[in-house]
Amino acid sequence: MTRSFQIVSDPSKRVEATLTVPADKSISHRAIILSSLAKGTTTIHNFLAAQDTLHTLQIFQQMGVNINRDGATNTVTVTGVGLHGLRSSSTVLDVGNSGTGIRLILGILSGQPFKTTITGDASIQKRPMKRVVDPLTLMGATFSLTPTGTAPVTVTGKVALNAIDYAMPVSSAQVKSAILFAGLYANGPTVVRDPGRSRDHTERMMRHFGVQVENPDATSVIVFPPPIDLVSPKELTIPSDISSAAFWMVLAAIRPNTILTLLNVGLNPTRTGIIDVMTAMKVNINVSDIRQVEGEPIGDITVKSSRDGLTAVTLDQSTFDMATFIDEIPIIAVLAAFASGVTTIRDAQELRVKESDRIQTTLAMLKAFGVVADELPDGLRITGGTVQHVGTVESHGDHRIAMAGSILSLAIEGRSGIIDVDCVDTSYPGFAQGLSLMAAEVIYS
Ligand code: S3P
């Protein structure tokens, strides 16, 4: 049965709250992967126990890694098997809804002395896999996938892989990371050249596990295959996910009478584009107490109601690094709906191949509330100040559309509905509790 949120909102009620959103999804995937490939035991604190990352955890268990999760403390203990200790799974590996899971794990499977089939849900089976399969084929692994270049993917690994020097046609941290993981199994240093500035969590965490990783320039990276094994740092603490915090940051900006503080948020500069965009749109936002936690900067973010002063902005690659806020575009679109003027988002064609076609699904979400907006081949155009009425949003199975629609609902008076909200659990368990804190009433049925 498809579940939904009915959200009754009363924005005249004052809300001042401090929240800690769940752990970073990108970093949680990488923590499981690298801890599994290291020798020794790694305790991961504040692991994201969401559907996407739990699928990655289960996949490494299926490949013979001893992983225990304590749900009460959000702690995961991984007894790594070493770079060459994975074993073939007796069943097909299932990533669920996770594009990061499938692409990163394909990089590792490419260097294994066995054949594996990996797949995921209906959305994953529509998403492009050639972007990772092409470079991994150059490295010597063999693949079979559907005629449209999608999962299920069967990969036959090669020992050792060929080191390559690869220029990615699109800026993608998933593709870069797949190649870097395969690079751990290569016969020399592997170079990846990025046309943009995709998130660098893999590089940072590899260094934390003792791998030699260098940046010959701002957008290129070289990984050197480790001479022996990865060194477990023993303990890892995952910061809160700025992509989850972004929903509450935007809510505080667009809802009257609201002040929200988000604690311990990951502030990796390849992820903080949302802060730059909000600043450009004149949101009252403040970042404080910046500190380093195991190779990643974190801090606290406070946002105060700013609805009256919000201004539209043009977001494209010439003015902003689009990759640094690509996952936040649905919620930035909600912010734009309250900003005076026309916001234009370009150079965001990657949105078409996310969990849904996010250009179409973001547009439909806005239109459900009467917002004046239209679709561009590579983005959206949104006229601010045009939210006209409460709405009913279809998530299309996309967590970020369900959450962006919920935030818009909270900012206007009355009852709105979000249909098909189970997908929220792929990245943000507990989102419904946050909603209840901000709404007059939430019915979760
Ligand atoms: C991710 C990379 C990005 C992002 C995704 C997570 C990662 O995708 O959209 O949600 O953890 O590496 P692309 O690499 O396809 O841009």
Side-chain angles (χ1 to χ4, degrees):
M1 204 196 76
T2 302
R3 292 204 285 177
S4 50
F5 294 142
Q6 292 293 319
I7 299 171
V8 182
S9 177
D10 172 12
S12 68
K13 189 181 106 187
R14 187 175 164 75
V15 172
E16 184 165 352
T18 298
L19 306 174
T20 306
V21 301
D24 192 281
K25 179 153 70 85
S26 293
I27 302 179
S28 294
H29 282 294
R30 287 149 172 92
I32 291 289
I33 295 173
L34 284 166
S35 305
S36 295
L37 299 181
K39 273 261 163 73
T41 300
T42 309
T43 304
I44 306 170
H45 301 281
N46 194 36
F47 176 74
L48 175 67
Q51 290 305 321
D52 277 11
T53 43
L54 288 172
H55 274 97
T56 291
L57 185 156
Q58 191 184 14
I59 284 174
F60 281 87
Q61 286 175 325
Q62 283 174 266
M63 293 198 288
V65 185
N66 188 346
I67 308 180
N68 292 303
R69 184 169 73 87
D70 179 348
T73 59
N74 259 350
T75 303
V76 173
T77 310
V78 183
T79 308
V81 293
L83 264 184
H84 302 284
L86 295 177
R87 46 164 220 260
S88 168
S89 163
S90 52
T91 49
V92 169
L93 303 179
D94 177 8
V95 299
N97 189 245
S98 179
T100 304
I102 193 165
R103 296 195 178 109
L104 269 51
I105 293 168
L106 278 170
I108 287 150
L109 294 174
S110 296
Q112 305 305 317
F114 49 76
K115 183 173 171 177
T116 312
T117 300
I118 187 164
T119 190
D121 68 7
S123 154
I124 277 294
Q125 291 184 37
K126 285 196 224 125
R127 297 180 66 185
M129 292 301 139
K130 288 272 285 168
R131 52 177 59 195
V132 283
V133 164
D134 286 348
L136 295 172
T137 301
L138 291 174
M139 294 181 84
T142 316
F143 294 86
S144 87
L145 54 175
T146 69
T148 50
T150 53
V153 184
T154 298
V155 45
T156 308
K158 179 180 179 248
V159 181
L161 289 167
N162 315 318
I164 57 169
D165 182 331
Y166 189 72
M168 294 192 291
V170 286
S171 179
S172 161
Q174 295 177 357
V175 176
K176 174 177 66 176
S177 301
I179 301 169
L180 293 177
F181 282 127
L184 297 175
Y185 295 93
N187 55 11
T190 293
V191 185
V192 189
R193 298 176 199 276
D194 192 334
R197 202 161 68 105
S198 64
R199 63 193 66 189
D200 66 356
H201 302 299
T202 301
E203 297 91 304
R204 285 174 187 252
M205 200 177 287
M206 278 187 171
R207 287 192 187 104
H208 204 60
F209 277 78
V211 180
Q212 186 184 350
V213 180
E214 290 174 7
N215 295 103
D217 58 62
T219 55
S220 304
V221 51
I222 309 181
V223 61
F224 294 80
I228 319 173
D229 251 310
L230 310 193
V231 188
S232 161
K234 311 274 185 251
E235 312 268 334
L236 273 179
T237 304
I238 317 265
S240 292
D241 197 327
I242 192 165
S243 297
S244 298
F247 295 104
W248 306 118
M249 289 156 62
V250 169
L251 177 66
I254 61 178
R255 188 184 183 281
N257 307 306
T258 310
I259 304 180
L260 295 178
T261 296
L262 290 311
L263 298 179
N264 307 330
V265 182
L267 295 174
N268 180 314
T270 59
R271 297 285 300 282
T272 49
I274 176 73
I275 298 177
D276 303 334
V277 172
M278 291 180 79
T279 304
M281 294 179 80
K282 306 256 177 0
V283 173
N284 185 340
I285 180 167
N286 183 49
V287 181
S288 60
D289 198 13
I290 301 174
R291 54 219 186 262
Q292 292 288 323
V293 173
E294 290 143 16
E296 293 278 356
I298 71 166
D300 304 333
I301 300 174
T302 300
V303 180
K304 297 184 181 163
S305 301
S306 320
R307 197 196 272 196
D308 292 341
L310 293 175
T311 56
V313 71
T314 295
L315 304 176
D316 61 27
Q317 196 58 35
S318 71
T319 43
F320 285 88
D321 222 319
M322 301 302 286
T324 65
F325 54 85
I326 192 77
D327 291 344
E328 284 65 76
I329 290 179
I331 193 63
I332 289 170
V334 170
L335 180 61
F338 291 89
S340 83
V342 177
T343 290
T344 307
I345 303 172
R346 307 291 317 235
D347 298 326
Q349 53 275 33
E350 274 298 294
L351 293 178
R352 300 233 179 247
V353 290
K354 295 292 180 191
E355 285 83 332
S356 66
D357 176 338
R358 283 191 182 151
I359 293 181
Q360 281 179 13
T361 52
T362 300
L363 182 72
M365 182 260 295
L366 294 175
K367 291 210 155 166
F369 298 90
V371 175
V372 176
D374 51 343
E375 177 174 350
L376 303 170
D378 58 349
L380 290 157
R381 198 183 296 117
I382 301 156
T383 304
T386 58
V387 177
Q388 286 170 42
H389 45 68
V390 291
T392 300
V393 176
E394 287 278 353
S395 75
H396 297 277
D398 187 330
H399 56 138
R400 300 208 192 277
I401 300 300
M403 291 189 276
S406 302
I407 296 300
L408 206 164
S409 307
L410 287 176
I412 56 174
E413 193 177 337
R415 176 189 290 257
S416 294
I418 316 294
I419 295 167
D420 191 4
V421 295
D422 282 346
C423 51
V424 167
D425 290 341
T426 61
S427 68
Y428 195 154
F431 180 73
Q433 280 97 294
L435 278 187
S436 303
L437 202 69
M438 312 290 165
E441 189 186 355
V442 177
I443 303 156
Y444 186 22
S445 57

